[in-house]
Amino acid sequence: MLMTLIQKEIMHHILSVRFVALLLMCVLLIPLTLSIGYRNYEQNLVDYQEAVKLANIEEAKMNPSMELKPELEVSKLFLKPTPLSVFASGLADALPSYLGMTRNGITQGAPTLVSDSLSYLLGHLDFLFLVGTVFSLLALLFTFDAVAGEREAGTLRITLSNSLPRDLFLWGKLIGGYFVFVVPFLVSLLFGLLMLVWQGFPLGEPEIFSRLLSLTIVSLLYIGVFFAIGTFISTYLDNAKTALIVAFTVWVFAVLITPRVGFIAAKFIAPTQTAQSVYLEKTALRENLNAELDEKKMKIHQEFSKGRPQPTSEGDIEKSIAAHFASGFGNSKEIDKQVKPLEEEFRQKFKESADEIERRYKREKARQEAVGEMLSRITPTSSLIYLTTNLTQTGKTKRDNYFQTGDRYYDALDTDWFSKVVDHISMRIVSPTDTVQVTQPPALEASTLGDTFRQSMVDALLLCFFAVALVTVAFLKFFRSDI
């Protein structure tokens, strides 16, 4: 009996206009979107390779005895695009193109979207957008009148007047409609993947294939959630037109409004500084400490220069000491001997203060982001976005790995170079033998699929919860409703 109901529902949908609309959306949009996404990935990959070549980090060399400006970018850690960005751009275009290593801290290069900012006024089109926005709306259009339409037409009373259990009737509606929906979706996705392989996409790599398979399952689960939402609305309303209006309203709030409102509210609940203001704060800290060190060095110089002409400004200190050294006086070595502990003290003081500024900023950002995530997860669309972008390595996990790798690289450079650079020295003697190769930027650590699901477990469970809870409530309402 259930199979008969499913077949009836399949034929009902296939002969309807909504199936034609679904078929056109699948056939036209999915392959086209994947093809465009792959072209964008290839262009981003070329830009990345040219930027790395231009930076020429492999041949960069430094000498700790040379004067090194605090704002000079000694090295850069570039963000390499991932092939899976074809399916979800995520944060890939919004993240800084590189992290610059300076003595004042880490600077951020301009993101990719800056070079093509006008197109982003209209948003971007990718597979995640199709599933999260287009197919969620089509899923509601397939189910908003599943029960309400039959109740309004009077066929529901006739159907249930026979010895037909209500659960089988509703299961037939759900399974039949869902089957008609996902078959064109999967066929079009398969065709799009074949086009990508023909263009050179590395689908055969185990990590990429397993992530795409997981992405497909997550997409089907998300579509199932909106089938459950449509069925839930249809069982509570008696009029198909009213059900359509309510379904569209729910879709607008669930897909377009609520995910964005969460982070807007988080900015007011947990405000934080900007990355630029933090960098400027570190710069001001270094300048203040250098000024204080200059004063102490002037006093030391005055003690060794009693009875000699005194420098009239702080800028004359280095010249005066250099003159003493060149004139045969041994005072410069003694001055450097006393200044060196002071330099180490101030360097340590700057590092501790700068680290505290960075920790405070990261705590504020983490709190604001946690509040925004919590508020946005009221809807299944946010969970889909978080889970999908982590699967495609363009989401929060990739961003965190990027910045953490940058921090580790900065610490390595600080140990090898920045901590050895001397700002105040009476006479710089640069020896070519002291020149050493700059430490190479490390590779970004890619999380495994298992790690991705562990990090996104909340979103996966929320999607399952929405689907099960809404279907359960729809069944309970339908069982208790008066036909």
Side-chain angles (χ1 to χ4, degrees):
M1 184 178 295
L2 178 60
M3 289 301 301
T4 302
L5 293 172
I6 293 175
Q7 292 173 3
K8 175 179 174 296
E9 191 66 18
I10 290 175
M11 292 304 301
H12 170 72
H13 283 296
I14 289 178
L15 298 176
S16 64
V17 178
R18 69 188 81 181
F19 179 74
V20 178
L22 171 66
L23 200 59
L24 289 175
M25 292 287 186
C26 292
V27 172
L28 295 178
L29 289 183
I30 293 181
L32 177 63
T33 299
L34 295 181
S35 180
I36 293 174
Y38 188 70
R39 290 181 180 273
N40 290 336
Y41 161 71
E42 286 185 318
Q43 183 60 51
N44 291 337
L45 185 61
V46 171
D47 293 342
Y48 162 79
Q49 293 170 343
E50 291 179 350
V52 172
K53 185 178 179 180
L54 184 63
N56 204 18
I57 299 173
E58 291 83 359
E59 299 180 4
K61 296 182 179 180
M62 282 180 49
N63 192 310
S65 300
M66 297 178 62
E67 185 175 3
L68 182 63
K69 296 181 179 180
E71 65 275 10
L72 177 66
E73 291 179 343
V74 173
S75 183
K76 296 178 180 179
L77 174 65
F78 289 92
L79 179 63
K80 185 177 181 179
T82 172
L84 290 168
S85 61
V86 171
F87 297 86
S89 299
L91 297 172
D93 293 335
L95 289 174
S97 55
Y98 70 87
L99 299 178
M101 305 296 147
T102 75
R103 293 174 60 201
N104 278 343
I106 300 177
T107 60
Q108 297 183 1
T112 306
L113 59 84
V114 172
S115 61
D116 196 21
S117 55
L118 187 60
S119 66
Y120 280 82
L121 290 175
L122 305 177
H124 55 269
L125 183 66
D126 55 20
F127 181 75
L128 175 59
F129 172 79
L130 293 182
V131 175
T133 305
V134 178
F135 290 112
S136 61
L137 179 59
L138 290 174
L140 289 179
L141 295 179
F142 262 66
T143 54
F144 77 93
D145 61 346
V147 177
E150 296 226 18
R151 183 184 285 116
E152 185 180 14
T155 56
L156 180 62
R157 183 185 297 271
I158 297 174
T159 301
L160 295 181
S161 63
N162 300 313
S163 57
L164 175 65
R166 293 192 179 191
D167 59 336
L168 291 183
F169 173 81
L170 202 54
W171 276 122
K173 289 284 184 182
L174 275 172
I175 297 175
Y178 188 73
F179 180 81
V180 171
F181 194 99
V182 300
V183 168
F185 174 79
L186 292 175
V187 171
S188 299
L189 178 58
L190 179 60
F191 179 68
L193 291 177
L194 292 176
M195 286 185 58
L196 288 181
V197 173
W198 178 71
Q199 292 177 323
F201 183 79
L203 182 62
E205 295 183 8
E207 183 70 14
I208 291 181
F209 181 80
S210 59
R211 286 180 177 272
L212 285 182
L213 181 60
S214 302
L215 175 61
T216 303
I217 295 173
V218 170
S219 302
L220 295 178
L221 177 59
Y222 177 76
I223 292 172
V225 170
F226 276 84
F227 261 80
I229 293 175
T231 305
F232 170 78
I233 294 172
S234 186
T235 56
Y236 270 81
L237 299 173
D238 298 331
N239 184 276
K241 292 181 179 179
T242 305
L244 177 60
I245 295 173
V246 172
F248 183 73
T249 303
V250 170
W251 177 82
V252 168
F253 277 92
V255 176
L256 302 181
I257 297 179
T258 305
R260 294 165 174 81
V261 169
F263 282 93
I264 294 175
K267 291 182 179 180
F268 295 97
I269 298 173
T272 183
Q273 294 178 278
T274 62
Q276 185 64 22
S277 65
V278 171
Y279 179 77
L280 292 176
E281 187 176 355
K282 291 180 181 179
T283 303
L285 173 65
R286 181 182 289 277
E287 291 175 352
N288 293 335
L289 290 175
N290 283 345
E292 185 179 348
L293 183 58
D294 284 340
E295 293 179 3
K296 292 190 176 184
K297 184 179 178 182
M298 179 179 290
K299 294 180 180 178
I300 295 175
H301 175 76
Q302 289 173 350
E303 291 179 0
F304 278 86
S305 304
K306 291 179 181 180
R308 301 181 184 278
Q310 299 297 316
T312 58
S313 64
E314 295 178 6
D316 295 334
I317 296 176
E318 298 289 343
K319 296 179 180 179
S320 177
I321 297 178
H324 283 305
F325 185 86
S327 301
F329 294 101
N331 292 345
S332 59
K333 293 184 178 181
E334 294 296 327
I335 291 175
D336 286 342
K337 186 177 180 180
Q338 293 194 24
V339 168
K340 189 174 181 180
L342 284 176
E343 290 175 343
E344 184 62 32
E345 176 188 347
F346 276 79
R347 184 184 292 113
Q348 187 64 27
K349 187 182 298 185
F350 170 79
K351 188 177 187 308
E352 292 175 356
S353 301
D355 289 345
E356 179 58 31
I357 293 172
E358 189 68 24
R359 285 193 295 268
R360 183 188 65 204
Y361 170 67
K362 289 182 178 180
R363 285 196 301 268
E364 291 176 354
K365 288 293 292 183
R367 181 170 178 268
Q368 184 185 86
E369 189 172 83
V371 172
E373 279 187 294
M374 180 183 65
L375 295 177
S376 65
R377 282 193 173 105
I378 297 174
T379 67
T381 302
S382 297
S383 295
L384 170 75
I385 293 173
Y386 297 147
L387 182 51
T388 299
T389 52
N390 281 339
L391 284 172
T392 56
Q393 298 176 327
T394 58
K396 179 182 176 181
T397 302
K398 180 62 175 287
R399 181 206 63 186
D400 293 344
N401 288 341
Y402 182 37
F403 288 119
Q404 288 170 7
T405 303
D407 291 338
R408 289 195 297 270
Y409 185 37
Y410 179 82
D411 291 339
L413 287 178
D414 184 66
T415 301
D416 295 341
W417 296 109
F418 298 151
S419 61
K420 299 177 181 178
V421 175
V422 179
D423 286 316
H424 307 275
I425 188 170
S426 59
M427 179 64 71
R428 296 184 182 275
I429 302 176
V430 180
S431 173
T433 58
D434 295 335
T435 301
V436 183
Q437 199 92 11
V438 173
T439 304
Q440 292 299 298
L444 290 182
E445 296 181 1
S447 59
T448 64
L449 183 60
D451 291 336
T452 300
F453 272 111
R454 279 192 292 271
Q455 294 162 355
S456 304
M457 185 60 66
V458 173
D459 299 303
L461 292 177
L462 278 175
L463 286 177
C464 296
F465 169 77
F466 280 119
V468 173
L470 290 169
V471 169
T472 302
V473 174
F475 269 84
L476 292 177
K477 173 60 180 176
F478 188 58
F479 289 155
R480 298 178 58 184
S481 61
D482 186 11
I483 307 301

